[in-house]
């Protein structure tokens, strides 16, 4: 390994063959400090999934299965294409072309933000209508689910550093320590493992006397991100090494399945079996949810909580707990608190119930800090290692982190980021009151918009974050039009997902609100 330096420090790095002096590999710019910017095939999502024919097959199934082929030029079909358009950026990322991959993300996120606000204001022209029979959607979803899990299991070394951090944090909790400030370190500790390809030793003898793989910045997430790994870590244990990490695989698969289960429950509540099949199919067929699953990260945990909260949306208690659990997994979900607290409209009693549930759930998850002898020191460590670190971090994976490459002719756009942060906060507060009354459709669309606005502000953005917002984009596409202004279809009248004899109203079992009812359409498959 050889490094080249300039006035700004290290500017290039490469591998030089000892016998011939030939440079076999070389990196410049962000590729010097960031291995993930080097475009190594299969580094994320597994080598099989990112093969062009497999990835494009997922894209095709997703598009054809959900698209309204009777109206090919509808804007809702365009929404599906936009969701898949992140693949263009990913293709450049896989080639190590960061200065091309990153800018391509922002037009897509911007489109989703505008569409979310448009639909959230009550201007959608009806749900997306797939032409596939319900049984085909359900069978395809089951097949894809098994295929995705098979890809996960067949790649035992497919756990990235986020999964290692989750297992290491859960291990610390099981040992009676908080994850914050107690992650395995490298520093000057005694090495106890082999050198990696860069000649570095990751395994070190830690303070607990164990030989463990260092993950110095693994404690940057909320406490739920580590508590979620506790069951699997208790069952499968942890060797201390960055090996196959079965606990990480098990946790990723579990929350992928839980998210699908939550979407099925949402579908059964708001549209019957067909909508349940559509939502399950959408998650199983979307390639970026499979990408996250096979990277074995914690990015399906947050949407799982939010989806279950949406399934119980008529309960302020459930909404408060869901936002708290999601927010203390990935902090961006905390921006949803004003919107979800004021659903379907501002009401003091509902707001109090939401606040109580949010507070109780927060106190419960933060009991991990009580594992430390000095509580106030534990709180300060939590702040420094999480939000404090995130605010000041650098990364080439956003336009806002490119100032460090300004000497290479890359524009420094970091001055825009604080403006976007302020606008995201304003948006999160504004959508709590505008529109004054919201149905489930508006809640889903505005939830997606707030999450997109948050992602636009991130210094470090990555494709693994798309599952945060994806369930709510497909909900704005597929949910039936609801609200008091929409009457339930009578006997023999067509509903949004079928026609024929009307089934009993969902509101009879699950009242959404006094002012916003959702009718249950027929369960029959349209011809």
């Amino acid at each position: 390994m050889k490094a080249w330096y300039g006035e700004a420090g290290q500017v290039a790095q490469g591998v030089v063959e000892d016998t011939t002096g030939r440079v076999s590999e070389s990196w410049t710019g962000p590729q010097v400090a960031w291995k993930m910017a080097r475009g190594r095939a299969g580094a994320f999502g597994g080598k099989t999934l990112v093969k062009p024919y497999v990835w494009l097959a997922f894209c095709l199934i997703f598009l054809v299965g959900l698209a309204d082929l009777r109206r090919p030029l509808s804007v809702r079909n365009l929404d599906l294409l936009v969701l898949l358009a992140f693949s263009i950026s990913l293709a450049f990322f896989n080639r190590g072309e960061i200065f091309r991959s990153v800018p391509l993300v922002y037009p897509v996120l911007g489109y989703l933000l505008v569409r979310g606000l448009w639909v959230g204001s009550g201007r959608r022209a009806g749900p997306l209508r797939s032409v596939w029979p319900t049984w085909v959607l359900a069978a395809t979803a089951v097949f894809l689910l098994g295929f995705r899990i098979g890809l996960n299991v067949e790649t035992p070394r497919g756990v990235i550093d986020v999964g290692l951090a989750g297992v290491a944090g859960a291990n610390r909790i099981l040992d009676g320590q908080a994850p914050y400030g107690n992650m395995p370190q490298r520093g000057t500790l005694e090495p106890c493992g082999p050198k990696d390809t860069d000649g570095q030793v990751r395994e070190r003898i830690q303070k607990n006397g164990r030989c463990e793989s260092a993950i110095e910045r693994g404690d940057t997430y909320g406490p739920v991100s580590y508590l979620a790994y506790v069951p699997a870590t208790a069952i499968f244990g942890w060797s201390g090494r960055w090996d196959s990490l079965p606990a990480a695989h098990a946790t990723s698969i579990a929350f992928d399945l839980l998210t699908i289960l939550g979407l099925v429950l949402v579908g059964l509540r708001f549209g019957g079996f067909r909508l349940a099949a559509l939502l399950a199919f959408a998650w199983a067929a979307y390639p970026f949810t499979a990408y996250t699953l096979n990277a074995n990260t914690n990015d399906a945990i947050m949407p799982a909580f939010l989806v279950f909260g949406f399934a119980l949306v008529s309960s302020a208690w459930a909404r408060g707990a869901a936002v708290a659990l999601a927010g203390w997994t990935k902090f961006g979900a905390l921006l949803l608190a004003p919107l979800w607290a004021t659903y379907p409209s501002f009401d003091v009693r509902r707001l109090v119930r939401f606040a109580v549930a949010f507070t109780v759930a927060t106190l419960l998850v933060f009991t991990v800090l009580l594992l430390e002898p000095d509580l106030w020191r534990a709180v300060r460590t939590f702040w420094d290692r999480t939000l404090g670190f995130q605010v000041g971090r650098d990364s080439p994976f956003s336009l806002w982190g490119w100032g460090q490459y300004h000497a290479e002719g890359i524009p420094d756009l970091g001055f825009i980021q604080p403006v976007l942060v302020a606008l995201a906060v304003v948006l999160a507060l504004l959508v709590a009151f505008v529109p004054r009354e919201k149905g489930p459709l508006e809640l889903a669309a505005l939830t997606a918009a707030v999450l997109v606005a948050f992602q636009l502000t991130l210094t470090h953005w990555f494709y693994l974050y798309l599952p945060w917002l994806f369930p709510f984009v497909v909900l704005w596409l597929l949910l039936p039009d609801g609200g008091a202004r929409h009457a339930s279809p009578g006997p023999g009248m067509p509903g949004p997902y079928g026609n024929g004899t009307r089934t009993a109203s969902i509101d009879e079992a699950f009242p959404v609100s006094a002012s916003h009812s959702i009718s249950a359409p027929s369960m029959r498959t349209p011809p």
Side-chain angles (χ1 to χ4, degrees):
M1 185 73 67
K2 183 175 178 58
W4 290 268
Y5 294 85
E7 295 181 1
Q10 187 174 346
V11 296
Q13 188 180 81
V15 175
V16 181
E17 295 180 356
D18 293 334
T19 56
T20 64
R22 185 177 68 90
V23 178
S24 58
E25 295 182 65
S26 62
W27 306 286
T28 59
Q31 295 176 334
V32 174
W34 293 82
K35 290 184 179 181
M36 63 185 289
R38 297 176 183 177
R40 292 176 173 171
F44 297 89
K47 293 184 178 180
T48 301
L49 179 65
V50 298
K51 288 180 179 178
Y53 65 90
V54 177
W55 189 270
L56 291 175
F58 267 92
C59 292
L60 183 62
I61 293 170
F62 175 81
L63 180 61
V64 175
L66 292 178
D68 187 348
L69 301 181
R70 300 185 185 95
R71 301 174 182 82
L73 299 181
S74 70
V75 68
R76 294 178 295 284
N77 286 341
L78 178 61
D79 292 343
L80 296 176
L81 289 171
V82 169
L83 284 170
L84 296 173
F86 289 103
S87 301
I88 301 173
S89 171
L90 180 64
F92 284 106
F93 168 80
N94 288 336
R95 295 170 54 182
E97 299 182 34
I98 303 304
F99 293 133
R100 292 186 179 181
S101 67
V102 171
L104 291 172
V105 168
Y106 291 90
V108 187
L109 289 176
Y111 175 92
L112 293 176
L113 174 61
V114 172
R115 280 288 289 152
L117 294 175
W118 180 266
V119 175
S121 64
R123 294 177 175 144
R124 193 192 66 173
L128 191 64
R129 299 175 185 273
S130 169
V131 299
W132 282 18
T134 302
W135 72 267
V136 173
L137 289 165
T140 305
V142 172
F143 171 79
L144 290 174
L145 183 59
F147 183 74
R148 288 152 50 104
I149 294 175
L151 291 180
N152 182 285
V153 174
E154 77 166 10
T155 313
R157 304 287 297 186
V159 181
I160 67 171
D161 56 353
V162 178
L164 172 62
V167 174
N171 177 265
R172 291 296 187 262
I173 294 172
L174 291 170
D175 285 346
Q177 290 182 305
Y180 307 103
N182 292 311
M183 282 288 175
Q185 300 293 306
R186 187 175 305 187
T188 59
L189 298 177
E190 179 185 351
C192 56
K195 294 182 179 180
D196 60 20
T197 55
D198 294 333
Q200 304 295 320
V201 178
R202 176 175 287 273
E203 288 83 10
R204 303 293 174 120
I205 302 295
Q206 303 298 317
K207 295 179 181 179
N208 58 11
R210 296 184 65 198
C211 180
E212 296 179 340
S213 295
I215 183 75
E216 293 93 340
R217 280 295 176 182
D219 52 356
T220 188
Y221 307 106
V224 180
S225 291
Y226 308 103
L227 290 167
Y229 285 82
V230 167
T233 304
I235 295 171
F236 296 102
W238 180 41
S239 67
R241 308 297 179 95
W242 195 346
D243 49 21
S244 60
L245 292 170
H249 284 273
T251 302
S252 296
I253 293 172
F255 276 93
D256 188 70
L257 294 174
L258 284 171
T259 305
I260 292 179
L261 175 61
L263 288 170
V264 168
L265 294 177
V266 171
L268 291 175
R269 176 171 184 180
F270 295 119
F273 184 73
R274 179 163 178 81
L275 180 57
L278 279 164
L279 293 173
F281 170 85
W283 180 271
Y286 189 51
F288 285 100
T289 60
Y291 189 77
T292 298
L293 171 63
N294 289 311
N296 292 286
T297 74
N298 56 17
D299 291 288
I301 300 175
M302 184 189 89
F305 286 122
L306 290 178
V307 167
F308 274 96
F310 196 92
L312 300 170
V313 71
S314 58
S315 168
W317 303 103
R319 296 197 309 273
V323 171
L325 293 173
W328 298 124
T329 304
K330 298 286 185 175
F331 300 118
L334 296 175
L335 287 175
L336 297 175
L339 172 63
W340 284 48
T342 56
Y343 174 85
S345 59
F346 182 82
D347 179 87
V348 174
R349 289 174 297 177
R350 283 195 295 263
L351 185 63
V352 169
R353 290 194 288 267
F354 180 96
V356 170
F358 183 95
T359 302
V360 170
T362 297
L363 292 175
L364 286 175
V365 300
F366 273 97
T367 54
V368 297
L369 299 185
L370 297 176
L371 297 173
E372 297 299 305
D374 186 337
L375 177 60
W376 294 116
R377 182 179 178 183
V379 171
R380 290 194 301 269
T381 301
F382 166 78
W383 172 265
D384 292 339
R385 303 294 296 181
T386 57
L387 294 169
F389 167 71
Q390 295 288 351
V391 169
R393 74 181 302 186
D394 283 325
S395 170
F397 296 100
S398 76
L399 296 176
W400 328 128
W402 282 7
Q404 57 190 309
Y405 309 108
H406 189 55
E408 303 176 30
I410 303 299
D412 184 358
L413 301 175
F415 68 93
I416 301 176
Q417 187 181 30
V419 177
L420 292 179
V421 171
L423 290 175
V425 173
V426 170
L427 176 64
L429 295 173
L430 182 63
V431 295
F433 303 99
V434 180
R436 288 183 58 188
E437 294 194 4
K438 307 171 188 69
L441 173 62
E442 289 78 18
L443 179 65
L446 293 176
T447 295
V450 171
L451 292 174
V452 171
F454 172 75
Q455 292 199 16
L456 283 169
T457 70
L458 293 176
T459 302
H460 183 85
W461 184 91
F462 201 57
Y463 310 95
L464 299 170
Y465 304 162
L466 293 176
W468 303 1
L469 55 95
F470 175 73
F472 300 99
V473 176
V474 294
L475 282 171
W476 98 43
L477 286 168
L478 297 171
L479 275 177
D481 293 323
R485 61 187 181 278
H486 296 282
S488 300
M493 296 177 62
Y497 292 104
N499 50 35
T501 305
R502 176 184 174 270
T503 59
S505 171
I506 289 289
D507 291 329
E508 296 171 9
F510 302 102
V512 176
S513 71
S515 59
H516 284 78
S517 62
I518 294 293
S519 61
S522 170
M523 305 296 182
R524 292 177 54 189
T525 303

